[in-house]
Each structure stands twice: as C-alpha cells, then as structure tokens.
C-alpha cells in the first residue's frame, strides 16, 4: 500500500503560562518550618519483632528493611513505606504490615502539642532470631 501520512492535529495545550509556574514555586518556598518539633520515640518496652515468614526461613533469607513510618498524634503507625529492601519482598512486606498493626511510639511534639510526622527506622532480619 501507498504511504499515507498521519493527520495533523491542531490543538492548544491547557498549560499555565510560565509566569504562573514561577509564582507557585515562590509560594511553596515560604512555608514556615515547625518550631521546637521533637522526633517520635519508641514507647514503653520497645518494638515487638515481626514473625519471620516460614518460606524465608526455609530459603535462608535475611537482611535489613528500611521503613519510613507515618506516626499519628496517638503514636500509632498509620502508614509504612519501604525505603530500602532487605532483598526479600516477603521480609519487607512482613515488616511493613507488622509496623502498622503492632508498633506504637511517643508521637512527635511541636511545643506541647502532638503532631503527625514521618519516622525512619531500620529492621534487621537474622535467621538466628527466627529459631
């Protein structure tokens, strides 16, 4: 068959003007930083250990899972993001689910008021701890 060129499309993008983008960037840079904000701390007797997945024990999987935890004003973890993998998706998922289900912290404080904050933590999986 003969070559048929594609049709030309005439449209105008709905993108904001470059000046509007610069104004938004300037506004976001002027956000006030919290004053006297403390970090979250482990509450009570420390953090419980997640159950070692049986398949990971059989396969000899070990490593360190890095998590970024969203700690609420009540100290409970409402979200856990994996920031670095142990090398095993099973171990990473077990740590993530256990953090949300079981861990509790003393919340971050801004002056005298508890505030929601992100708290980084690393959990090390060792086969010796599974037995």
């Amino acid at each position: 068959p003969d070559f048929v060129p594609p049709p030309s499309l005439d449209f105008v993008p709905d993108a904001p003007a470059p000046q509007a983008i610069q104004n938004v960037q300037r506004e976001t840079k002027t956000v006030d930083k919290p004053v006297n904000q403390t970090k979250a701390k482990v509450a009570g007797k420390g953090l419980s250990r997640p159950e070692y997945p049986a398949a990971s024990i059989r396969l000899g999987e070990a490593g360190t899972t890095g998590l970024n935890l969203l700690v609420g004003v009540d100290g409970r973890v409402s979200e856990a993001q994996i920031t670095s993998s142990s090398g095993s998706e099973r171990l990473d998922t077990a740590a993530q689910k256990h953090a949300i289900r079981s861990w509790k912290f003393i919340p971050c404080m801004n002056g005298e008021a508890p505030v929601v904050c992100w708290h980084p933590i690393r959990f090390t999986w060792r086969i010796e701890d599974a037995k």
Side-chain angles (χ1 to χ4, degrees):
D2 292 347
F3 174 74
V4 178
S8 64
L9 301 174
D10 295 326
F11 71 95
V12 177
D14 294 336
Q19 182 63 31
I21 293 172
Q22 291 174 354
N23 289 342
V24 170
Q25 289 174 345
R26 280 190 205 114
E27 289 173 16
T28 59
K29 290 179 184 175
T30 61
V31 174
D32 293 332
K33 300 263 185 208
V35 180
N36 292 336
Q37 183 167 330
T38 62
K39 294 181 180 179
K41 297 177 186 106
V42 176
K45 301 174 186 172
L47 301 175
S48 59
R49 297 187 67 77
E51 186 174 329
Y52 219 112
S56 294
I57 294 171
R58 280 193 307 276
L59 295 170
E61 295 176 338
T64 300
T65 301
L67 297 171
N68 203 14
L69 309 174
L70 184 61
V71 178
V73 294
D74 61 353
R76 296 204 177 275
V77 177
S78 60
E79 187 177 337
Q81 298 174 344
I82 298 169
T83 56
S84 62
S85 177
S86 63
S88 165
E89 186 176 339
R90 249 184 309 277
L91 295 178
D92 296 341
T93 303
Q96 185 179 37
K97 287 181 179 178
H98 185 78
I100 294 169
R101 186 176 46 244
S102 303
W103 288 349
K104 184 156 180 159
F105 292 83
I106 297 169
C108 296
M109 301 294 283
N110 189 7
E112 295 293 318
V115 293
V116 175
C117 66
W118 287 98
H119 180 71
I121 195 164
R122 296 172 58 83
F123 182 80
T124 302
W125 297 91
R126 295 183 302 214
I127 290 290
E128 305 84 55
D129 296 336
K131 298 175 182 173

